[in-house]
Amino acid sequence: MRSDNVKRGDQAAPARSLFNALGYTKEEMERPLVGIVSSYNEIVPGHMNLDKITQAVKLGVAEAGGTPVVFPAIAVCDGIAMGHIGMKYSLVTRDLIADSTECMALAHQFDALVMIPNCDKNVPGLLMAAARVNIPTVFVSGGPMLAGHVHGKKRSLSSMFEAVGEKAAGRIDEAELDYFAEHVCPTCGSCSGMYTANSMNCLTEVIGMGLRGNGTIPAVYSERIRLAKQAGYAVMEMYRRNIRPRDIMTKEAFMNAMTMDMALGCSTNTMLHLPAIAHEAGVELNMEIANEISARTPNLCHLAPAGPTYMEDLNEAGGVYAVMNELNKKNLLNLDCMTVTGKTVGENIKNAVNMNPEVIRPIENPYMQEGGIAVLKGNIAPDTGIVKRSAVAPSMMTHEGPARVFDCEEDAISAILGGKINPGDVVVIRYEGPKGGPGMREMLNPTSAIAGMGLGESVALITDGRFSGASRGASIGHVSPEAAVGGPIALIEEGDIIKVDIPNNALNVLVSDEVLAERRKNWKPRKPNVTTGYLARYQKLVTSGNRGAVLEIPEELR
């Protein structure tokens, strides 16, 4: 056992004395030490129930012959952090979570780990840590929130943000806005649509690091408690068989994840997180392959914000495994990949049944023949730009209009809510990328304001920042290279005509190369907008969005 380093022999006697201080018995010290990474806190709705999940995991581990040891991981609530400086601290926590978990796991020589995340950066951060530490590890999340009900219709957090725009447009009053606020988020859990948290929890099942139902069983169901106990059993079986994360998180597993990403219509943030996780697993994942995968993968689900169904509906329809089985009808998945069950993907999904063809479309009758996400390229985005195609209105799949240029999110929101954006415009928000922000803020406030103002089918938005999974419309993010490093998005001027062509994966400003070259001569890098604290360090180390915004030591410091 790895933990023998802190339990056995004369050199470990001081450590044993400290375990005695913690109250561990000799019998417990004879067993494998299993770290339980609990993301419980009292500020994130998706995490307020994780104390119960943690307790269930502990019971499962102990029943299966291990000694559970709990330690924490942080998590930011993106909804609370949205629209102010707090959002600069969201994406950056992914690396803090990975780093701190690595530190705890190796400093204390755990034999295995159970990760208990739930929300946006928490899930990928812990997946990154699992790949780094590479000891037997199982994931069990806190589960999705049930949908809210507003005037008899299912609603979720994206409806709440859009209601703000509706009020600004005079379409609803303050009492109605308050009514929304009281009813759209009715339970604990990760917000109820196919937003980033639920996207990543579903993909954890696909990659093979979570048990069946991890992505879809609602947070308030007792089935979630049973799943947590089963995760405890599973990690001990992995320990006995020495099945490790890098045995599971192979290139083929990531290809499966990207394929399912297209079928489910996941958040565009997966295009940041999957390459970052793969990087930690020693797998190079080039986002340009996304269009190739999308071309052969039908989009089978239209969960909120793309459509009227929610995570609870996907769960009742058969969950992630049922969607995987639909894709398997056309041999779109690698079925030989190992999973935390100790079985292959093919063995896991063979009995999964699609119980609602309206929630999970049969592969013969998809929502779209192509996948839910597209990578766009052009003279604005020589590397990449990302759009959730499944959440774009048909009328906006191609769009041409004048640029309305803003150098920060706040200025754009002020213009949108102030009625200064017109039908046909293309809102450009720049200097919000990984370095420029720093922190690559989500743009749910402006996208929701556009929708709420009634401009969702006439205005496009492009940014070197990113979008919440709750965003919908012609919202193109992750534009790379970003403005802060001199990417072409920095050269766009007010009134330039921008052409968005999603069917042809193109994003261009209709300005000649000569004019852009002349503008480049006059462009100057901005001074760093933070000089102290974690964000300053992050700004120096972070790479571009098309590389997953991973941290890398600059060449001059190597």
Side-chain angles (χ1 to χ4, degrees), residues 261-272:
D261 196 326
M262 300 300 172
L264 287 167
C266 291
S267 162
T268 53
N269 279 318
T270 60
M271 296 292 107
L272 279 177

Side-chain angles (χ1 to χ4, degrees), residues 31 57 72 179 240 259 334 455:
R31 302 169 188 158
V57 170
Y179 186 83
R240 283 186 279 271
T259 300
N334 187 312
L455 299 171

Side-chain angles (χ1 to χ4, degrees), residues 233-276:
Y233 305 154
V235 80
M236 293 309 300
E237 182 61 21
M238 289 181 72
Y239 170 76
R240 283 186 279 271
R241 296 177 57 180
N242 196 30
I243 299 173
R244 300 172 181 239
R246 290 195 180 201
D247 299 326
I248 295 169
M249 289 194 279
T250 62
K251 183 172 183 179
E252 292 75 18
F254 284 106
M255 291 298 103
N256 282 349
M258 290 189 69
T259 300
M260 276 290 289
D261 196 326
M262 300 300 172
L264 287 167
C266 291
S267 162
T268 53
N269 279 318
T270 60
M271 296 292 107
L272 279 177
H273 298 323
L274 287 175

Side-chain angles (χ1 to χ4, degrees), residues 142-144 212-224 227 311 315:
R212 181 177 186 175
N214 184 56
T216 60
I217 298 170
V220 294
Y221 284 14
S222 296
E223 187 181 357
R224 177 67 56 179
L227 184 73
M311 295 306 296
N315 187 64

Side-chain angles (χ1 to χ4, degrees), residues 77-216:
C77 179
D78 281 10
I80 294 174
M82 195 73 66
H84 55 88
I85 191 173
M87 184 45 69
K88 293 178 185 285
Y89 286 90
S90 174
L91 179 61
V92 305
T93 64
R94 188 183 69 182
D95 295 276
L96 285 172
I97 291 162
D99 292 349
S100 59
T101 303
E102 174 194 356
C103 290
M104 289 294 287
L106 296 180
H108 301 103
Q109 292 292 281
F110 289 111
D111 298 299
L113 297 168
V114 179
M115 306 294 200
I116 308 177
N118 211 30
C119 288
D120 296 33
K121 314 313 163 304
N122 197 238
V123 181
L126 290 178
L127 282 165
M128 290 163 68
R132 282 188 205 171
V133 177
N134 200 35
I135 58 177
T137 303
V138 175
F139 275 68
V140 57
S141 76
M145 183 184 291
L146 294 179
H149 290 81
V150 177
H151 305 308
K153 293 184 178 180
K154 285 186 176 181
R155 291 287 185 263
S156 62
L157 186 65
S158 53
S159 306
M160 182 70 251
F161 275 89
E162 290 179 15
V164 175
E166 291 185 64
K167 183 176 183 297
R171 298 163 71 182
I172 63 172
D173 59 19
E174 187 169 348
E176 180 69 358
L177 187 67
D178 289 343
Y179 186 83
F180 264 80
E182 289 169 3
H183 292 87
V184 295
C185 295
T187 71
C188 63
S190 48
C191 296
S192 55
M194 188 54 84
Y195 308 153
T196 307
N198 293 324
S199 295
M200 288 308 306
N201 281 319
C202 287
L203 294 184
T204 301
E205 281 191 61
V206 179
I207 291 171
M209 291 296 293
L211 298 175
R212 181 177 186 175
N214 184 56
T216 60

Side-chain angles (χ1 to χ4, degrees), residues 10 131 148 183 216 243 255 278 336 391 415 463 515 541 556:
D10 293 348
H183 292 87
T216 60
I243 299 173
M255 291 298 103
D336 296 326
T463 180
V515 170
L541 300 177
E556 62 269 21

